[in-house]
């Protein structure tokens, strides 16, 4: 039977969109179905780092660390608008890991991953500016090393956009409710959750990239009796008013063996996280607990000059990591590497399931998925994503400031803050949003801060945003800026605009 698609990808997180992009770029026909919003769960709830995972060295995960370190500059080069380098300060805590041990770990960190642009580790005095700002005076020695930052949810959306631009079909708010083997293809039933309507599609291969729902998808939808176990681990973060003016990040050791980051966030805030807690509750209701808030406040206050209390928290977010259950006793020790399992092939349609994974290694994961599927879906080309920029990222890795200046020059009604925000989110695509405008009023209605109608329509027309939370917390982080009333006005506008678009299409 001829299939509608070569590949049906279930899950619109970083792994699903990365696989869809890579596959369609190799000539495969692809449909991606996501039951909620893109990056609606785990992939928008990370610490937003492209990093090797310094602490994984203690668990001898050298291959994972090496693989991740090599990806830092690759991803930075692909998306210099949403990714950029950071310098981290690791204070030496005399009662925890010895200084020689930290220096040895950082030496390995510097040399495992083939750095070219990122600067090496150095020892720093923490009783001198700028490092002394924000820290307690009892910390006098530390180490400064490099990793990178990424806007995790935008990384997902840009992978989906590039996949769609290359011919993939992306369906959000679409749940796969059943899939059965039908001769040499899969026959899947997809439900549009906005309308309640079902549709049937056929595909040669299914990729199960459902994240925390990967096991549920196998047993409840595909009907597999796969016995692989998944370990659900919740990670939570708190956001507080900015605690220090410099652009360095802190990585704090804790007595329980975990580490906590304190990172400058959205100009006026500090992001603190994360926790590691085994999760057995409803995946539809993932929230930070009071104990987690207290833990993060205490962990940061151990180091920061100004103690942080739960009342200081302005926002929180939590996500569940779908880790492969390797039998580790503690959640913090469970492997962060991914496992790919293929069921079927040759005489019956195959389903490939993705267990685990990290934001940093999503591109390599996609390559390995497609390598496993190559015998079943001969592709027209080989690996290609490493040098291909994501939408808006077609400028130099070190050219961000020049890009902002160019945008301000061409659109002088933008102040520096607005131009920087647009460039950070959209890169060179900011010019498409601003096309034809000569003054702020040309951007339409302002919903608060500097969010205008032209940008909202772009998010809806080009980036699958459907609700105010889609726009304010995943496509942008303006949920930190807009009032409740402004967010409600935005929701009403988006609902009306969507109704008009749906009516026109009908």
């Amino acid at each position: 039977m001829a299939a509608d698609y070569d590949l049906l990808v279930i899950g619109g997180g970083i792994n699903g969109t990365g696989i869809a992009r890579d596959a369609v770029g190799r000539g495969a026909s692809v449909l991606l179905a996501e039951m909620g919003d893109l990056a609606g769960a785990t992939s928008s709830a990370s610490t937003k780092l492209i990093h090797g995972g310094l602490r994984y060295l203690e668990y001898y995960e050298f291959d994972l660390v090496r693989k991740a370190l090599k990806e830092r500059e690759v991803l930075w080069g692909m998306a210099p608008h949403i990714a950029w380098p950071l310098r981290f300060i690791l204070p030496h805590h005399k009662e925890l890991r010895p200084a020689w041990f930290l220096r040895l770990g950082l030496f390995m960190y510097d040399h495992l991953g083939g750095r070219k642009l990122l600067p090496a580790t150095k020892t720093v005095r923490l009783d001198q500016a700028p490092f002394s700002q924000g820290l307690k005076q009892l910390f006098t020695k530390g180490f400064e090393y490099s990793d990178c930052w990424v806007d995790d949810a935008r990384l997902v959306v840009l992978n989906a956009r590039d996949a769609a631009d290359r011919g993939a079909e992306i369906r959000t708010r679409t749940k796969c409710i059943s899939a059965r083997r039908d001769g040499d293809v899969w026959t899947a039933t997809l439900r549009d959750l906005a309308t309640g309507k079902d549709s049937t599609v056929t595909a040669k291969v299914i990729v199960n990239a459902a994240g925390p729902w990967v096991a549920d998808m196998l047993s409840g939808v595909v009907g597999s009796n796969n016995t692989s176990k998944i370990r659900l681990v919740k990670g939570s973060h708190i956001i507080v008013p900015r605690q220090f003016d410099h652009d360095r990040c802190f990585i704090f050791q804790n007595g329980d063996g975990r580490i906590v980051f304190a990172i400058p966030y959205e100009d006026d805030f500090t992001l603190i996280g994360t926790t590691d807690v085994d999760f057995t509750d409803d995946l539809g209701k993932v929230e930070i607990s009071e104990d987690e808030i207290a833990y993060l406040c205490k962990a940061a206050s151990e180091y920061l000059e100004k103690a942080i209390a739960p009342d200081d928290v302005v926002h929180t977010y939590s996500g569940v990591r779908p880790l492969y259950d390797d039998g580790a006793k503690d959640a913090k020790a469970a492997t962060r590497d991914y496992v790919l399992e293929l069921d079927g092939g040759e005489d019956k349609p195959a389903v490939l399931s993705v267990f685990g994974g990290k934001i940093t290694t999503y591109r390599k994961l996609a390559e390995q998925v497609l390598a496993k599927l190559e015998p079943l879906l001969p592709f027209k080309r080989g690996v290609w994503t490493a040098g291909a920029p994501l939408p808006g990222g077609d400028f130099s890795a070190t050219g961000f400031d020049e890009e902002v200046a160019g945008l301000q020059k061409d659109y002088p009604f933008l102040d520096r803050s607005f131009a920087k925000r647009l460039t950070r989110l959209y890169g060179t695509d900011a010019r498409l949003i601003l096309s034809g405008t000569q003054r702020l009023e040309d951007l339409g209605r302002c919903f608060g801060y500097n969010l205008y109608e032209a940008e909202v329509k772009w998010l809806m027309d080009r980036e699958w945003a459907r609700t105010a939370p889609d726009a304010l917390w995943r496509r942008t982080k303006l949920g930190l800026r807009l009032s409740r009333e402004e967010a409600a006005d935005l929701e009403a506008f988006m609902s009306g605009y969507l109704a008009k678009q749906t009516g026109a299409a009908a």
Side-chain angles (χ1 to χ4, degrees), residues 429-449:
D429 280 352
R431 296 173 180 275
L432 299 178
I433 298 172
L434 297 169
S435 179
T437 60
Q438 297 181 335
R439 53 182 186 162
L440 280 175
E441 290 76 11
D442 294 336
L443 293 172
R445 178 180 173 184
C446 181
F447 294 97
Y449 198 60

Side-chain angles (χ1 to χ4, degrees), residues 71-72 102 183 249 324 348:
E71 282 295 285
R72 293 179 304 179
L102 298 178
C249 311
Y324 189 80
K348 65 177 182 178

